[in-house]
Amino acid sequence: MTTSTTAATGVPAVRPYESYVYAYPHKTAYRPLPERPALRELWAAERKDALSLYLHIPFCEVRCGFCNLFTRIGAPEELTTRYLDALDRQAVAVRDGLGDEEPVRFAAAAFGGGTPTFLTAGELERLCDIAEKRMGADLRAVPLSVETSPSTATADRLAVLADRGTTRISIGVQSFVDAEAKAAVRPQRRADVEAALGRIRDARIPLLNIDLIYGIDGQTERTWLTSLDAALAWRPEELYLYPLYVRPLTGLHRLGAGVGGPEAEALEQAAWDEQRLWLYAVGRDHLLAHGYEQVSMRMFRRADAPQEGPEDYACQTDGMIGLGCGARSYTSALHYSFDYAVDMREIRSIIDSFTATQDFSRAEVGRYVDEEEARRRHLLQSVLQAAGLPVADYRARFGTDPWADFPAELAGFAARGWLDEGAPEGLLRLSASGLAHSDALGPALFSPGVRAAMAAYERK
């Protein structure tokens, strides 16, 4: 727990849940690019033989209370058709921007959101066609991961995905306890969740991932184990365990629900942090005892499962092509996307603007990544994995040592007991406590420039 660790080390306490670092720099550090660089220029000198492809669908049937993803509820007036039309135009422009001077190959693909299976079976066929016929991705030959939800995981949609080569399906369940789902503002019934999981298994997609959340108001160790055991009954190849966050502009934030809201007292915040740390440990130990291996703080993989599909940090590697108004693209020097928002009205406006766009040949919003930021990204995306960072890999890429580049940060982690002192020589690896505190450790590696940009971002 945070208190005892602090007492043992004499190091000032930190909150264990600062931020989930799923991408660095975060989109709140992006800004409009005055020069609007052409994609052909951005990609001219980049390696294109092992790109990742991500297609973003910004629609959901409902918006959960904890969700701050770029998505809107519903799609009136044939909006999905207009969105796919725009996605098609963007794909043509992006593929042209990649050029033909050297081979272009995609090594992995993913459909995310939102909820990609909000689309009908016919629209999912068209989405796959955009990836294959416009971008040139061979979906049946590479790992293809698709996100779904209990209400949209229908037999006809799953049949399309299975036929088009989907190797991994990820379903957001969050809780098998109906009262907890309601507390998280996620309208669903366990019976419907179980039926959806049955349809997914019937579709014979090789890898199933189930997302669960801990720290929900009213959740106890007993109810948390109930959800874990309900998930384990389906023998998923992967499980993700997420701590609940109550972020600005989300449904739970507006409701003031849970002890994690901005008006919560310091003691309530500390108690919630302790509850989440405890439930994390319960979940981690339960999965380890049931034949799962820990890949990161959030990700657990069944020991006998095939290791196909993207890892926890795949979206952070250079060479990412993102299509859709919520997707990021990464070159070695620039991360770029479209405008970002959480508020529903702002999201609708951005989606409308995207569907009306005719020229997708230039980058609009982004952040340049210099050598120092590249070092931070490499350290972040490696050290937050349970396997750790081989120092030789870092040295081969940058010619320096991470301890020389980040002496204060790594010394601070060591002082808190977050580094594994028993790791083999040449491996920088987190301890069990370090993994548990990944959401504090990750943000501690943000550069001053990124911190300043994120702080100056005007929420919308």
Side-chain angles (χ1 to χ4, degrees), residues 239-285:
L239 277 158
Y240 272 70
L241 309 185
Y242 289 95
L244 178 66
Y245 276 87
V246 178
R247 299 178 176 93
L249 303 180
T250 61
L252 287 177
H253 178 263
R254 287 193 298 270
L255 291 172
V259 294
E263 305 303 321
E265 297 292 336
L267 287 177
E268 292 177 314
Q269 285 280 11
W272 195 38
D273 287 345
E274 292 294 315
Q275 180 209 24
R276 286 180 289 178
L277 280 173
W278 171 247
L279 292 175
Y280 160 79
V282 168
R284 174 199 62 201
D285 294 348

Short mmCIF file of all heavy atoms in Angstrom, two decimals, residues 239-285:
data_model
loop_
_atom_site.label_atom_id
_atom_site.label_comp_id
_atom_site.label_asym_id
_atom_site.label_seq_id
_atom_site.Cartn_x
_atom_site.Cartn_y
_atom_site.Cartn_z
N LEU A 239 -6.82 -10.96 -20.47
CA LEU A 239 -7.68 -10.15 -19.60
C LEU A 239 -6.97 -8.84 -19.33
O LEU A 239 -5.77 -8.81 -19.07
CB LEU A 239 -7.93 -10.87 -18.27
CG LEU A 239 -9.04 -11.92 -18.24
CD1 LEU A 239 -8.82 -12.88 -17.09
CD2 LEU A 239 -10.40 -11.24 -18.11
N TYR A 240 -7.73 -7.75 -19.42
CA TYR A 240 -7.22 -6.44 -19.02
C TYR A 240 -7.98 -6.00 -17.77
O TYR A 240 -9.22 -6.00 -17.77
CB TYR A 240 -7.42 -5.40 -20.13
CG TYR A 240 -6.31 -5.32 -21.14
CD1 TYR A 240 -6.09 -6.36 -22.05
CD2 TYR A 240 -5.46 -4.22 -21.19
CE1 TYR A 240 -5.08 -6.29 -22.98
CE2 TYR A 240 -4.43 -4.15 -22.13
CZ TYR A 240 -4.25 -5.18 -23.02
OH TYR A 240 -3.23 -5.12 -23.94
N LEU A 241 -7.23 -5.61 -16.74
CA LEU A 241 -7.81 -5.11 -15.50
C LEU A 241 -7.50 -3.62 -15.39
O LEU A 241 -6.33 -3.23 -15.25
CB LEU A 241 -7.23 -5.86 -14.29
CG LEU A 241 -7.25 -7.39 -14.33
CD1 LEU A 241 -6.75 -7.95 -12.99
CD2 LEU A 241 -8.65 -7.92 -14.65
N TYR A 242 -8.54 -2.80 -15.47
CA TYR A 242 -8.37 -1.35 -15.48
C TYR A 242 -8.83 -0.74 -14.16
O TYR A 242 -9.93 -1.05 -13.69
CB TYR A 242 -9.22 -0.72 -16.59
CG TYR A 242 -8.72 -0.96 -17.99
CD1 TYR A 242 -9.22 -2.02 -18.75
CD2 TYR A 242 -7.77 -0.13 -18.56
CE1 TYR A 242 -8.79 -2.24 -20.05
CE2 TYR A 242 -7.33 -0.34 -19.87
CZ TYR A 242 -7.84 -1.40 -20.60
OH TYR A 242 -7.40 -1.61 -21.88
N PRO A 243 -8.05 0.17 -13.57
CA PRO A 243 -8.57 0.94 -12.44
C PRO A 243 -9.57 1.98 -12.94
O PRO A 243 -9.38 2.57 -14.01
CB PRO A 243 -7.32 1.61 -11.86
CG PRO A 243 -6.40 1.75 -13.04
CD PRO A 243 -6.68 0.56 -13.93
N LEU A 244 -10.61 2.19 -12.18
CA LEU A 244 -11.58 3.21 -12.55
C LEU A 244 -10.97 4.59 -12.36
O LEU A 244 -10.32 4.86 -11.35
CB LEU A 244 -12.84 3.08 -11.69
CG LEU A 244 -13.93 4.13 -11.94
CD1 LEU A 244 -14.53 3.97 -13.34
CD2 LEU A 244 -15.03 4.04 -10.88
N TYR A 245 -11.18 5.45 -13.35
CA TYR A 245 -10.84 6.87 -13.24
C TYR A 245 -12.13 7.67 -13.40
O TYR A 245 -13.01 7.28 -14.18
CB TYR A 245 -9.87 7.29 -14.35
CG TYR A 245 -8.41 7.01 -14.07
CD1 TYR A 245 -7.83 5.79 -14.37
CD2 TYR A 245 -7.61 8.00 -13.50
CE1 TYR A 245 -6.49 5.55 -14.13
CE2 TYR A 245 -6.26 7.77 -13.25
CZ TYR A 245 -5.71 6.55 -13.57
OH TYR A 245 -4.38 6.32 -13.31
N VAL A 246 -12.22 8.78 -12.69
CA VAL A 246 -13.32 9.72 -12.91
C VAL A 246 -12.69 10.98 -13.48
O VAL A 246 -12.10 11.78 -12.78
CB VAL A 246 -14.09 10.03 -11.61
CG1 VAL A 246 -15.19 11.05 -11.89
CG2 VAL A 246 -14.70 8.75 -11.05
N ARG A 247 -12.79 11.11 -14.80
CA ARG A 247 -12.08 12.18 -15.50
C ARG A 247 -13.02 13.34 -15.82
O ARG A 247 -14.24 13.16 -15.93
CB ARG A 247 -11.47 11.64 -16.80
CG ARG A 247 -10.45 10.52 -16.59
CD ARG A 247 -9.94 10.03 -17.92
NE ARG A 247 -8.90 9.03 -17.83
CZ ARG A 247 -9.10 7.72 -17.83
NH1 ARG A 247 -10.34 7.25 -17.92
NH2 ARG A 247 -8.09 6.88 -17.75
N PRO A 248 -12.46 14.54 -15.99
CA PRO A 248 -13.29 15.70 -16.31
C PRO A 248 -14.13 15.49 -17.57
O PRO A 248 -13.69 14.85 -18.53
CB PRO A 248 -12.26 16.82 -16.53
CG PRO A 248 -11.08 16.41 -15.71
CD PRO A 248 -11.04 14.92 -15.80
N LEU A 249 -15.34 15.99 -17.54
CA LEU A 249 -16.30 16.01 -18.65
C LEU A 249 -16.93 14.64 -18.91
O LEU A 249 -17.73 14.51 -19.85
CB LEU A 249 -15.66 16.54 -19.94
CG LEU A 249 -15.04 17.94 -19.86
CD1 LEU A 249 -14.46 18.34 -21.21
CD2 LEU A 249 -16.06 18.97 -19.41
N THR A 250 -16.61 13.63 -18.12
CA THR A 250 -17.26 12.33 -18.28
C THR A 250 -18.57 12.30 -17.50
O THR A 250 -18.85 13.18 -16.69
CB THR A 250 -16.35 11.19 -17.79
OG1 THR A 250 -16.08 11.37 -16.39
CG2 THR A 250 -15.05 11.15 -18.57
N GLY A 251 -19.36 11.25 -17.74
CA GLY A 251 -20.64 11.14 -17.07
C GLY A 251 -20.52 11.07 -15.57
O GLY A 251 -21.26 11.75 -14.83
N LEU A 252 -19.59 10.27 -15.05
CA LEU A 252 -19.41 10.17 -13.60
C LEU A 252 -18.93 11.49 -13.02
O LEU A 252 -19.32 11.86 -11.91
CB LEU A 252 -18.40 9.05 -13.27
CG LEU A 252 -18.90 7.61 -13.45
CD1 LEU A 252 -17.78 6.63 -13.15
CD2 LEU A 252 -20.10 7.34 -12.55
N HIS A 253 -18.10 12.19 -13.76
CA HIS A 253 -17.62 13.49 -13.28
C HIS A 253 -18.77 14.48 -13.16
O HIS A 253 -18.90 15.21 -12.17
CB HIS A 253 -16.56 14.04 -14.24
CG HIS A 253 -16.03 15.39 -13.87
ND1 HIS A 253 -16.50 16.55 -14.43
CD2 HIS A 253 -15.08 15.77 -12.97
CE1 HIS A 253 -15.85 17.58 -13.92
NE2 HIS A 253 -15.00 17.13 -13.04
N ARG A 254 -19.65 14.50 -14.16
CA ARG A 254 -20.79 15.42 -14.12
C ARG A 254 -21.76 15.05 -13.00
O ARG A 254 -22.36 15.92 -12.37
CB ARG A 254 -21.52 15.42 -15.46
CG ARG A 254 -20.76 16.14 -16.57
CD ARG A 254 -21.65 16.39 -17.78
NE ARG A 254 -22.10 15.13 -18.36
CZ ARG A 254 -21.45 14.48 -19.31
NH1 ARG A 254 -20.30 14.96 -19.76
NH2 ARG A 254 -21.92 13.36 -19.81
N LEU A 255 -21.90 13.74 -12.75
CA LEU A 255 -22.80 13.30 -11.69
C LEU A 255 -22.21 13.51 -10.30
O LEU A 255 -22.94 13.46 -9.31
CB LEU A 255 -23.14 11.81 -11.89
CG LEU A 255 -24.03 11.46 -13.08
CD1 LEU A 255 -24.09 9.94 -13.24
CD2 LEU A 255 -25.43 12.04 -12.90
N GLY A 256 -20.89 13.68 -10.25
CA GLY A 256 -20.23 13.78 -8.95
C GLY A 256 -20.23 12.45 -8.24
O GLY A 256 -20.19 12.38 -7.00
N ALA A 257 -20.31 11.35 -9.01
CA ALA A 257 -20.44 10.03 -8.41
C ALA A 257 -19.09 9.49 -7.99
O ALA A 257 -18.05 9.81 -8.56
CB ALA A 257 -21.07 9.07 -9.42
N GLY A 258 -19.09 8.64 -6.95
CA GLY A 258 -17.88 7.98 -6.51
C GLY A 258 -16.96 8.91 -5.76
O GLY A 258 -17.11 10.13 -5.79
N VAL A 259 -16.00 8.36 -5.06
CA VAL A 259 -15.10 9.18 -4.27
C VAL A 259 -13.97 9.76 -5.11
O VAL A 259 -13.12 10.45 -4.59
CB VAL A 259 -14.50 8.36 -3.11
CG1 VAL A 259 -15.57 7.97 -2.13
CG2 VAL A 259 -13.77 7.13 -3.62
N GLY A 260 -13.97 9.47 -6.41
CA GLY A 260 -12.87 9.94 -7.23
C GLY A 260 -13.14 11.26 -7.92
O GLY A 260 -12.33 11.71 -8.69
N GLY A 261 -14.31 11.89 -7.65
CA GLY A 261 -14.64 13.14 -8.31
C GLY A 261 -13.81 14.29 -7.78
O GLY A 261 -13.14 14.19 -6.75
N PRO A 262 -13.84 15.43 -8.47
CA PRO A 262 -12.98 16.55 -8.11
C PRO A 262 -13.32 17.17 -6.76
O PRO A 262 -12.47 17.85 -6.18
CB PRO A 262 -13.20 17.55 -9.26
CG PRO A 262 -14.54 17.20 -9.80
CD PRO A 262 -14.66 15.71 -9.66
N GLU A 263 -14.53 16.96 -6.26
CA GLU A 263 -14.93 17.55 -4.99
C GLU A 263 -14.62 16.64 -3.81
O GLU A 263 -14.91 16.96 -2.67
CB GLU A 263 -16.44 17.86 -5.02
CG GLU A 263 -16.88 18.76 -6.18
CD GLU A 263 -16.15 20.08 -6.19
OE1 GLU A 263 -15.92 20.64 -5.10
OE2 GLU A 263 -15.79 20.54 -7.29
N ALA A 264 -14.05 15.50 -4.08
CA ALA A 264 -13.78 14.54 -3.01
C ALA A 264 -12.74 15.10 -2.05
O ALA A 264 -11.81 15.78 -2.44
CB ALA A 264 -13.28 13.23 -3.60
N GLU A 265 -12.89 14.79 -0.79
CA GLU A 265 -11.92 15.20 0.21
C GLU A 265 -10.66 14.36 0.10
O GLU A 265 -10.65 13.25 -0.46
CB GLU A 265 -12.52 15.03 1.61
CG GLU A 265 -13.75 15.89 1.88
CD GLU A 265 -13.40 17.35 1.95
OE1 GLU A 265 -12.23 17.68 2.25
OE2 GLU A 265 -14.29 18.18 1.68
N ALA A 266 -9.56 14.88 0.64
CA ALA A 266 -8.28 14.19 0.53
C ALA A 266 -8.33 12.80 1.16
O ALA A 266 -7.76 11.85 0.63
CB ALA A 266 -7.19 15.03 1.20
N LEU A 267 -9.03 12.67 2.28
CA LEU A 267 -9.12 11.36 2.92
C LEU A 267 -9.89 10.38 2.05
O LEU A 267 -9.55 9.19 1.98
CB LEU A 267 -9.79 11.49 4.29
CG LEU A 267 -8.94 12.14 5.38
CD1 LEU A 267 -9.75 12.27 6.69
CD2 LEU A 267 -7.67 11.34 5.64
N GLU A 268 -10.92 10.84 1.39
CA GLU A 268 -11.68 9.97 0.50
C GLU A 268 -10.83 9.54 -0.69
O GLU A 268 -10.87 8.38 -1.13
CB GLU A 268 -12.95 10.67 0.03
CG GLU A 268 -13.98 10.91 1.13
CD GLU A 268 -15.19 11.67 0.63
OE1 GLU A 268 -14.97 12.70 -0.07
OE2 GLU A 268 -16.31 11.27 0.93
N GLN A 269 -10.05 10.48 -1.22
CA GLN A 269 -9.16 10.15 -2.32
C GLN A 269 -8.17 9.08 -1.90
O GLN A 269 -7.92 8.11 -2.62
CB GLN A 269 -8.39 11.40 -2.78
CG GLN A 269 -9.22 12.38 -3.60
CD GLN A 269 -9.35 11.95 -5.05
OE1 GLN A 269 -8.99 10.84 -5.41
NE2 GLN A 269 -9.87 12.83 -5.88
N ALA A 270 -7.58 9.26 -0.72
CA ALA A 270 -6.60 8.29 -0.23
C ALA A 270 -7.25 6.93 -0.03
O ALA A 270 -6.65 5.89 -0.36
CB ALA A 270 -5.97 8.78 1.07
N ALA A 271 -8.47 6.91 0.50
CA ALA A 271 -9.16 5.65 0.72
C ALA A 271 -9.46 4.96 -0.61
O ALA A 271 -9.35 3.73 -0.72
CB ALA A 271 -10.45 5.89 1.51
N TRP A 272 -9.84 5.74 -1.61
CA TRP A 272 -10.14 5.17 -2.93
C TRP A 272 -8.87 4.61 -3.57
O TRP A 272 -8.88 3.54 -4.16
CB TRP A 272 -10.78 6.22 -3.82
CG TRP A 272 -11.44 5.67 -5.05
CD1 TRP A 272 -12.15 4.51 -5.16
CD2 TRP A 272 -11.45 6.26 -6.35
NE1 TRP A 272 -12.61 4.34 -6.44
CE2 TRP A 272 -12.20 5.41 -7.19
CE3 TRP A 272 -10.92 7.43 -6.86
CZ2 TRP A 272 -12.41 5.69 -8.54
CZ3 TRP A 272 -11.12 7.73 -8.21
CH2 TRP A 272 -11.86 6.86 -9.03
N ASP A 273 -7.76 5.36 -3.40
CA ASP A 273 -6.49 4.86 -3.91
C ASP A 273 -6.13 3.53 -3.25
O ASP A 273 -5.70 2.57 -3.93
CB ASP A 273 -5.37 5.87 -3.64
CG ASP A 273 -5.46 7.09 -4.55
OD1 ASP A 273 -6.20 7.04 -5.55
OD2 ASP A 273 -4.79 8.10 -4.24
N GLU A 274 -6.29 3.45 -1.94
CA GLU A 274 -5.98 2.21 -1.24
C GLU A 274 -6.89 1.08 -1.69
O GLU A 274 -6.44 -0.07 -1.85
CB GLU A 274 -6.13 2.43 0.28
CG GLU A 274 -5.10 3.35 0.88
CD GLU A 274 -3.70 2.76 0.80
OE1 GLU A 274 -3.53 1.56 1.10
OE2 GLU A 274 -2.77 3.49 0.42
N GLN A 275 -8.17 1.39 -1.92
CA GLN A 275 -9.10 0.35 -2.38
C GLN A 275 -8.67 -0.19 -3.74
O GLN A 275 -8.64 -1.40 -3.96
CB GLN A 275 -10.53 0.91 -2.48
CG GLN A 275 -11.54 -0.13 -2.95
CD GLN A 275 -12.71 0.47 -3.71
OE1 GLN A 275 -12.61 1.56 -4.28
NE2 GLN A 275 -13.83 -0.25 -3.73
N ARG A 276 -8.31 0.72 -4.65
CA ARG A 276 -7.92 0.27 -6.00
C ARG A 276 -6.61 -0.53 -5.96
O ARG A 276 -6.48 -1.54 -6.65
CB ARG A 276 -7.81 1.47 -6.94
CG ARG A 276 -9.17 2.03 -7.35
CD ARG A 276 -9.06 3.21 -8.30
NE ARG A 276 -8.56 4.40 -7.62
CZ ARG A 276 -8.34 5.57 -8.20
NH1 ARG A 276 -8.54 5.70 -9.51
NH2 ARG A 276 -7.91 6.61 -7.52
N LEU A 277 -5.66 -0.09 -5.15
CA LEU A 277 -4.42 -0.84 -5.03
C LEU A 277 -4.68 -2.25 -4.48
O LEU A 277 -4.09 -3.23 -4.94
CB LEU A 277 -3.44 -0.10 -4.11
CG LEU A 277 -2.66 1.06 -4.73
CD1 LEU A 277 -1.87 1.79 -3.65
CD2 LEU A 277 -1.71 0.56 -5.81
N TRP A 278 -5.58 -2.33 -3.51
CA TRP A 278 -5.90 -3.63 -2.93
C TRP A 278 -6.60 -4.52 -3.94
O TRP A 278 -6.23 -5.69 -4.11
CB TRP A 278 -6.77 -3.45 -1.69
CG TRP A 278 -7.31 -4.73 -1.13
CD1 TRP A 278 -8.61 -5.14 -1.10
CD2 TRP A 278 -6.56 -5.80 -0.56
NE1 TRP A 278 -8.73 -6.38 -0.54
CE2 TRP A 278 -7.47 -6.82 -0.20
CE3 TRP A 278 -5.19 -6.01 -0.33
CZ2 TRP A 278 -7.07 -8.02 0.38
CZ3 TRP A 278 -4.79 -7.20 0.26
CH2 TRP A 278 -5.72 -8.19 0.60
N LEU A 279 -7.59 -3.98 -4.64
CA LEU A 279 -8.31 -4.79 -5.63
C LEU A 279 -7.40 -5.19 -6.79
O LEU A 279 -7.53 -6.29 -7.34
CB LEU A 279 -9.54 -4.03 -6.14
CG LEU A 279 -10.64 -3.81 -5.10
CD1 LEU A 279 -11.77 -2.95 -5.68
CD2 LEU A 279 -11.21 -5.14 -4.60
N TYR A 280 -6.49 -4.30 -7.17
CA TYR A 280 -5.51 -4.67 -8.19
C TYR A 280 -4.72 -5.89 -7.75
O TYR A 280 -4.54 -6.86 -8.51
CB TYR A 280 -4.55 -3.50 -8.46
CG TYR A 280 -3.25 -3.92 -9.10
CD1 TYR A 280 -3.18 -4.19 -10.46
CD2 TYR A 280 -2.09 -4.09 -8.33
CE1 TYR A 280 -1.98 -4.60 -11.05
CE2 TYR A 280 -0.89 -4.50 -8.90
CZ TYR A 280 -0.84 -4.75 -10.25
OH TYR A 280 0.33 -5.17 -10.83
N ALA A 281 -4.20 -5.87 -6.51
CA ALA A 281 -3.41 -6.99 -6.00
C ALA A 281 -4.23 -8.27 -5.94
O ALA A 281 -3.74 -9.35 -6.29
CB ALA A 281 -2.84 -6.65 -4.63
N VAL A 282 -5.49 -8.15 -5.53
CA VAL A 282 -6.38 -9.31 -5.49
C VAL A 282 -6.55 -9.88 -6.89
O VAL A 282 -6.44 -11.10 -7.11
CB VAL A 282 -7.75 -8.93 -4.89
CG1 VAL A 282 -8.78 -10.04 -5.11
CG2 VAL A 282 -7.61 -8.63 -3.40
N GLY A 283 -6.82 -9.00 -7.86
CA GLY A 283 -7.01 -9.46 -9.24
C GLY A 283 -5.75 -10.06 -9.83
O GLY A 283 -5.79 -11.11 -10.47
N ARG A 284 -4.63 -9.39 -9.61
CA ARG A 284 -3.35 -9.89 -10.13
C ARG A 284 -3.05 -11.29 -9.58
O ARG A 284 -2.75 -12.22 -10.33
CB ARG A 284 -2.22 -8.94 -9.73
CG ARG A 284 -0.83 -9.41 -10.08
CD ARG A 284 0.22 -8.65 -9.27
NE ARG A 284 0.05 -8.91 -7.84
CZ ARG A 284 0.52 -8.12 -6.87
NH1 ARG A 284 1.19 -7.03 -7.17
NH2 ARG A 284 0.34 -8.43 -5.60
N ASP A 285 -3.15 -11.44 -8.26
CA ASP A 285 -2.82 -12.72 -7.64
C ASP A 285 -3.79 -13.81 -8.08
O ASP A 285 -3.39 -14.97 -8.27
CB ASP A 285 -2.82 -12.58 -6.12
CG ASP A 285 -1.72 -11.66 -5.61
OD1 ASP A 285 -0.82 -11.32 -6.41
OD2 ASP A 285 -1.77 -11.27 -4.44
#
